[in-house]
Amino acid sequence: MSKREPNKLIAFESKTIRRVWHNEEWWFAIIDVVGALTDSSNPADYFKKMRRRDEGLKTYVGTNCPPLEMEGETGKKRKTLAGNLEAIFRIIQSIPSKKAEPFKQWLAQTGSERVEETENPELIIERFRELYRGRGYSDEWKEERIRGIDT
């Protein structure tokens, strides 16, 4: 995600998720993420119950998720709990919903790959090659870029 379109709404399965550029990174409205990943008619209440059941989540959110000003449905700006990507991933791990399961699986796979890469750094280079190949870059460009990263 780029900073080019600040405070732009993003969509997930027809649900809008508010975001704001804060401290040089994107912060997302937690209630919007919870609403998109659950079938709850009241995501705020759902999230409140999640925090009550999970003391670790309650502490994590209290420390890492500040209220930030975001525009609501009425167009008025109000403070809402927000999380950066790390915080959103932590919250997703706690959502007991079938809709959240694909994200949890992706997080587990990505985490596993990164651990393997710390044990075998050549895997990082191969991941970059695949990424650049998928984006259509020439072999010469890829190798020059990888050498630049290595340097």
Side-chain angles (χ1 to χ4, degrees), residues 113-125:
E113 290 169 357
R114 295 312 162 266
V115 168
E116 288 174 7
E117 289 171 356
T118 60
E119 295 171 357
N120 185 358
E122 291 86 21
L123 294 173
I124 297 170
I125 294 169

Side-chain angles (χ1 to χ4, degrees), residues 67-94:
L68 297 177
E69 199 170 80
M70 295 186 192
E71 194 171 300
E73 291 178 8
T74 62
K76 291 185 178 183
K77 290 194 174 202
R78 298 189 189 279
K79 290 199 174 195
T80 186
L81 279 181
N84 61 9
L85 281 177
E86 181 179 343
I88 293 300
F89 288 158
R90 169 61 181 91
I91 291 164
I92 288 171
Q93 291 170 345
S94 296

Side-chain angles (χ1 to χ4, degrees), residues 31-137:
I31 300 306
D32 295 351
V33 172
V34 170
L37 294 177
T38 66
D39 291 322
S40 174
S41 60
N42 187 342
D45 190 49
Y46 187 99
F47 186 59
K48 188 184 297 184
K49 288 176 183 174
M50 278 177 56
R51 290 172 70 184
R52 228 179 287 137
R53 284 191 306 259
D54 184 340
E55 191 63 37
L57 178 64
K58 180 180 180 181
T59 303
Y60 183 86
V61 169
T63 304
N64 298 289
C65 300
L68 297 177
E69 199 170 80
M70 295 186 192
E71 194 171 300
E73 291 178 8
T74 62
K76 291 185 178 183
K77 290 194 174 202
R78 298 189 189 279
K79 290 199 174 195
T80 186
L81 279 181
N84 61 9
L85 281 177
E86 181 179 343
I88 293 300
F89 288 158
R90 169 61 181 91
I91 291 164
I92 288 171
Q93 291 170 345
S94 296
I95 296 175
S97 165
K98 289 179 184 176
K99 284 184 172 183
E101 205 53 40
F103 287 99
K104 292 177 187 180
Q105 290 171 3
W106 175 78
L107 286 169
Q109 177 186 351
T110 302
S112 175
E113 290 169 357
R114 295 312 162 266
V115 168
E116 288 174 7
E117 289 171 356
T118 60
E119 295 171 357
N120 185 358
E122 291 86 21
L123 294 173
I124 297 170
I125 294 169
E126 189 53 39
R127 181 166 53 91
F128 278 130
R129 281 193 178 110
E130 288 297 316
L131 176 71
Y132 294 141
R133 186 176 305 132
R135 291 184 179 173
Y137 291 106

